[in-house]
C-alpha cells in the first residue's frame, strides 16, 4: 500500500486530489490548518478510502517534521497555500510567510526524514504578462502580484533542495480552476471566491450577486482572457506526477491548462447558456495585479506525464451547478 501526505487537502483542489488518491488505493494523510480548508470536506472524504487527518500549520516547523517522521511516505503533494491575487496585493506579508516559509519548512522536514518525492502546486501567475501565446514552461517568469511571486520563490527553493539534497520534484503550474466532482459531494467552498466560473454559477442560481471585478484590458472584448481547467483533470495530473517521480524520472515542470482561452464575458455567456438564465451584473471593485491574457501550451504534460484534460468547460459548469444546488454557500465548517 502506498502512502502519501497531502498538505492543504481540505481545500478546493486538495480535496479533489485527496478523493482521487483514495479511490486509487493510496493511504492518505491530510495536513491542513483549516484556515481556508474545511473539516466537512475531510468528513466527506472519509468514505472514499483510508484517510488520516492532522490539523497543523506549515509555518510550525516542528509540527510538519513530526508528521513526516510518523510514516515512510512515498511522496508529498503540496497544495497548502494562500491563493487570492487581490488579497496578496493588500497583504503581501501573509503570502510570503505562508507560501514561502511553509514550503521551506516542508522541504526541510522531507530532508530530515529522507522523503524524496514532491509534487508542488504552482501557478501560471509566475509568468505575469505574456510575451507570447500559448505559454510554455520556458516562458519568462515575471509575476505581477505577490501571490505569483511567492509561488516563484517557492519554486526556486524547491530547485535548490533538489540540487543539494536530491529531493525530486514535479512543479505543476496550473491555470484557472473550475468544476466540482460529478456526484456533487465535493466542490469549491472559498468564502469569498475570486474564481470567475464559480461566481458566475452562483450568480446564475441567485445565491449571491455577481460582480464584474476585472480591469479593462487589451483584448477583443476588453475583458481578461484565461485558460479554464477542470479541478478533476488537475487532480489526475497530480496522481500522474507522483507516479512519474516514483518511476525514477528526473525533476520537471509542467503547465496544466486546456490550451484554449476564454474572456470573462465569454465565460458569463457560457454559464447563462447552460443554466438558461440571465445573470444580473454589477460592477465591483476592480481587482489589482491582473494581466490581459494567458493560456497554456500543455504539450509537455501530454508527452511526458501522459496527461490530457478530458473535461469540457460545459461539464465543469454543470458539475458546479450540482455542487452549489446541494451546497449554496459551500461547506459549512
Amino acid at each position: 500500500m502506498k502512502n502519501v501526505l497531502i498538505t492543504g487537502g481540505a481545500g478546493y483542489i486538495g480535496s479533489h486530489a485527496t478523493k482521487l488518491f483514495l479511490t486509487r488505493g493510496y493511504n492518505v494523510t491530510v495536513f491542513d490548518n483549516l484556515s481556508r480548508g474545511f473539516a466537512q470536506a475531510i468528513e466527506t472524504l472519509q468514505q472514499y478510502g483510508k484517510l488520516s487527518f492532522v490539523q497543523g500549520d506549515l509555518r510550525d516547523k516542528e509540527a510538519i517534521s513530526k508528521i513526516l517522521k510518523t510514516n515512510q511516505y512515498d511522496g508529498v503533494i503540496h497544495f497548502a497555500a494562500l491563493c487570492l491575487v487581490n488579497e496578496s496585493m493588500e497583504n503581501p506579508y501573509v503570502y510570503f510567510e505562508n507560501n514561502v516559509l511553509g514550503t521551506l519548512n516542508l522541504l526541510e522536514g522531507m530532508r530530515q526524514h529522507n522523503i524524496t518525492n514532491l509534487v508542488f502546486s504552482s501557478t501560471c501567475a509566475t509568468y505575469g504578462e505574456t510575451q507570447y501565446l500559448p505559454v510554455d514552461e520556458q516562458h519568462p517568469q515575471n509575476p505581477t502580484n505577490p501571490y505569483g511571486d511567492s509561488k516563484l520563490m517557492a519554486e526556486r527553493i524547491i530547485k535548490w533542495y533538489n540540487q543539494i539534497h536530491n529531493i525530486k520534484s514535479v512543479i505543476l503550474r496550473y491555470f484557472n480552476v473550475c468544476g466540482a466532482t460529478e456526484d456533487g459531494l465535493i466542490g469549491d467552498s472559498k468564502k469569498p471566491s475570486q474564481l470567475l466560473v464559480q461566481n458566475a454559477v452562483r450568480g446564475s442560481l441567485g445565491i449571491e450577486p455577481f460582480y464584474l471585478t476585472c480591469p479593462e484590458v487589451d483584448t477583443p472584448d476588453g475583458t481578461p482572457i484565461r485558460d479554464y481547467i477542470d479541478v478533476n483533470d488537475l487532480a489526475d495530473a497530480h496522481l500522474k506526477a507522483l507516479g512519474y517521480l516514483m518511476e525514477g524520472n528526473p525533476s520537471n515542470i509542467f503547465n496544466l491548462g486546456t490550451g484554449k482561452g476564454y474572456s470573462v464575458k465569454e465565460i458569463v455567456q457560457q454559464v447563462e447558456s447552460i443554466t438558461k438564465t440571465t445573470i444580473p451584473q454589477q460592477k465591483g471593485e476592480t481587482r489589482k495585479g491582473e494581466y490581459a491574457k494567458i493560456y497554456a501550451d500543455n504539450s509537455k504534460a501530454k508527452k511526458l506525464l501522459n496527461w490530457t484534460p478530458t473535461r469540457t468547460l460545459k461539464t465543469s459548469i454543470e458539475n458546479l451547478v450540482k455542487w452549489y444546488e446541494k451546497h449554496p454557500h459551500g461547506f459549512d465548517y
Side-chain angles (χ1 to χ4, degrees), residues 32 47 90 131 149 184 191 195 213 250 257 281 321 327:
D32 197 303
Q47 66 187 281
E90 295 166 355
Q131 297 183 16
D149 216 11
K191 301 169 186 175
L195 298 177
T213 59
Q281 297 179 30
V321 169
H327 303 87

mmCIF file of all heavy atoms in Angstrom, residues 32 47 90 131 149 184 191 195 213 250 257 281 321 327:
data_model
loop_
_atom_site.group_PDB
_atom_site.id
_atom_site.type_symbol
_atom_site.label_atom_id
_atom_site.label_comp_id
_atom_site.label_asym_id
_atom_site.label_seq_id
_atom_site.Cartn_x
_atom_site.Cartn_y
_atom_site.Cartn_z
ATOM 1 N N ASP A 32 -3.547 20.041 7.290
ATOM 2 C CA ASP A 32 -4.222 21.276 6.905
ATOM 3 C C ASP A 32 -4.520 22.076 8.169
ATOM 4 O O ASP A 32 -4.928 21.502 9.180
ATOM 5 C CB ASP A 32 -5.526 20.952 6.159
ATOM 6 C CG ASP A 32 -6.095 22.117 5.370
ATOM 7 O OD1 ASP A 32 -6.355 23.187 5.977
ATOM 8 O OD2 ASP A 32 -6.306 21.973 4.153
ATOM 9 N N GLN A 47 -15.265 8.556 3.248
ATOM 10 C CA GLN A 47 -15.985 7.444 2.621
ATOM 11 C C GLN A 47 -15.220 6.822 1.455
ATOM 12 O O GLN A 47 -15.554 5.722 1.003
ATOM 13 C CB GLN A 47 -17.355 7.930 2.116
ATOM 14 C CG GLN A 47 -17.278 8.934 0.986
ATOM 15 C CD GLN A 47 -18.639 9.523 0.626
ATOM 16 O OE1 GLN A 47 -19.421 8.879 -0.067
ATOM 17 N NE2 GLN A 47 -18.909 10.735 1.103
ATOM 18 N N GLU A 90 -3.054 43.372 -1.191
ATOM 19 C CA GLU A 90 -3.419 44.134 0.006
ATOM 20 C C GLU A 90 -2.592 43.725 1.225
ATOM 21 O O GLU A 90 -2.359 44.535 2.116
ATOM 22 C CB GLU A 90 -4.914 43.931 0.300
ATOM 23 C CG GLU A 90 -5.816 44.519 -0.789
ATOM 24 C CD GLU A 90 -7.251 44.038 -0.678
ATOM 25 O OE1 GLU A 90 -7.530 43.167 0.191
ATOM 26 O OE2 GLU A 90 -8.097 44.508 -1.469
ATOM 27 N N GLN A 131 4.493 37.228 -23.035
ATOM 28 C CA GLN A 131 5.305 37.735 -24.137
ATOM 29 C C GLN A 131 4.975 37.012 -25.427
ATOM 30 O O GLN A 131 5.268 37.507 -26.523
ATOM 31 C CB GLN A 131 6.788 37.603 -23.795
ATOM 32 C CG GLN A 131 7.194 38.437 -22.584
ATOM 33 C CD GLN A 131 8.674 38.361 -22.296
ATOM 34 O OE1 GLN A 131 9.459 37.940 -23.145
ATOM 35 N NE2 GLN A 131 9.079 38.763 -21.096
ATOM 36 N N ASP A 149 4.590 35.863 -7.089
ATOM 37 C CA ASP A 149 5.993 35.922 -6.689
ATOM 38 C C ASP A 149 6.277 34.947 -5.547
ATOM 39 O O ASP A 149 7.352 34.337 -5.488
ATOM 40 C CB ASP A 149 6.368 37.347 -6.274
ATOM 41 C CG ASP A 149 7.792 37.706 -6.678
ATOM 42 O OD1 ASP A 149 8.412 36.945 -7.451
ATOM 43 O OD2 ASP A 149 8.286 38.758 -6.238
ATOM 44 N N GLY A 184 -21.433 15.787 -7.036
ATOM 45 C CA GLY A 184 -21.871 16.984 -6.319
ATOM 46 C C GLY A 184 -21.516 17.004 -4.853
ATOM 47 O O GLY A 184 -21.992 17.858 -4.104
ATOM 48 N N LYS A 191 -14.703 31.431 0.545
ATOM 49 C CA LYS A 191 -15.593 32.500 1.001
ATOM 50 C C LYS A 191 -14.754 33.734 1.326
ATOM 51 O O LYS A 191 -14.119 33.773 2.384
ATOM 52 C CB LYS A 191 -16.372 32.049 2.246
ATOM 53 C CG LYS A 191 -17.209 30.807 2.028
ATOM 54 C CD LYS A 191 -17.730 30.248 3.339
ATOM 55 C CE LYS A 191 -18.434 28.914 3.116
ATOM 56 N NZ LYS A 191 -18.862 28.282 4.365
ATOM 57 N N LEU A 195 -12.812 33.145 -8.075
ATOM 58 C CA LEU A 195 -12.785 32.324 -9.273
ATOM 59 C C LEU A 195 -14.037 32.586 -10.104
ATOM 60 O O LEU A 195 -15.163 32.418 -9.640
ATOM 61 C CB LEU A 195 -12.674 30.847 -8.890
ATOM 62 C CG LEU A 195 -11.382 30.498 -8.127
ATOM 63 C CD1 LEU A 195 -11.377 29.040 -7.710
ATOM 64 C CD2 LEU A 195 -10.156 30.819 -8.971
ATOM 65 N N THR A 213 -15.383 42.283 -11.703
ATOM 66 C CA THR A 213 -14.289 42.921 -10.983
ATOM 67 C C THR A 213 -13.020 43.022 -11.823
ATOM 68 O O THR A 213 -11.982 43.438 -11.328
ATOM 69 C CB THR A 213 -13.968 42.128 -9.704
ATOM 70 O OG1 THR A 213 -13.612 40.787 -10.069
ATOM 71 C CG2 THR A 213 -15.163 42.109 -8.764
ATOM 72 N N PRO A 250 13.434 12.226 -13.649
ATOM 73 C CA PRO A 250 14.036 13.411 -13.034
ATOM 74 C C PRO A 250 13.008 14.492 -12.736
ATOM 75 O O PRO A 250 11.882 14.461 -13.254
ATOM 76 C CB PRO A 250 15.028 13.893 -14.100
ATOM 77 C CG PRO A 250 14.431 13.436 -15.402
ATOM 78 C CD PRO A 250 13.781 12.116 -15.087
ATOM 79 N N GLY A 257 -3.146 23.215 -18.342
ATOM 80 C CA GLY A 257 -4.243 24.022 -18.873
ATOM 81 C C GLY A 257 -4.835 23.288 -20.056
ATOM 82 O O GLY A 257 -4.371 22.212 -20.438
ATOM 83 N N GLN A 281 -25.652 41.683 -13.654
ATOM 84 C CA GLN A 281 -24.244 42.023 -13.459
ATOM 85 C C GLN A 281 -24.107 43.408 -12.850
ATOM 86 O O GLN A 281 -24.772 44.348 -13.278
ATOM 87 C CB GLN A 281 -23.496 41.973 -14.790
ATOM 88 C CG GLN A 281 -23.469 40.582 -15.414
ATOM 89 C CD GLN A 281 -22.744 40.563 -16.746
ATOM 90 O OE1 GLN A 281 -21.824 41.346 -16.978
ATOM 91 N NE2 GLN A 281 -23.164 39.670 -17.622
ATOM 92 N N VAL A 321 -22.920 23.515 -10.937
ATOM 93 C CA VAL A 321 -24.352 23.714 -10.676
ATOM 94 C C VAL A 321 -24.843 22.653 -9.686
ATOM 95 O O VAL A 321 -25.536 22.964 -8.709
ATOM 96 C CB VAL A 321 -25.166 23.655 -11.987
ATOM 97 C CG1 VAL A 321 -26.671 23.591 -11.688
ATOM 98 C CG2 VAL A 321 -24.861 24.873 -12.863
ATOM 99 N N HIS A 327 -24.945 22.658 -1.993
ATOM 100 C CA HIS A 327 -24.205 23.451 -1.004
ATOM 101 C C HIS A 327 -24.127 24.889 -1.501
ATOM 102 O O HIS A 327 -23.088 25.323 -2.008
ATOM 103 C CB HIS A 327 -22.788 22.907 -0.807
ATOM 104 C CG HIS A 327 -22.729 21.468 -0.384
ATOM 105 N ND1 HIS A 327 -22.728 20.423 -1.274
ATOM 106 C CD2 HIS A 327 -22.644 20.916 0.854
ATOM 107 C CE1 HIS A 327 -22.658 19.286 -0.609
ATOM 108 N NE2 HIS A 327 -22.610 19.562 0.683
#
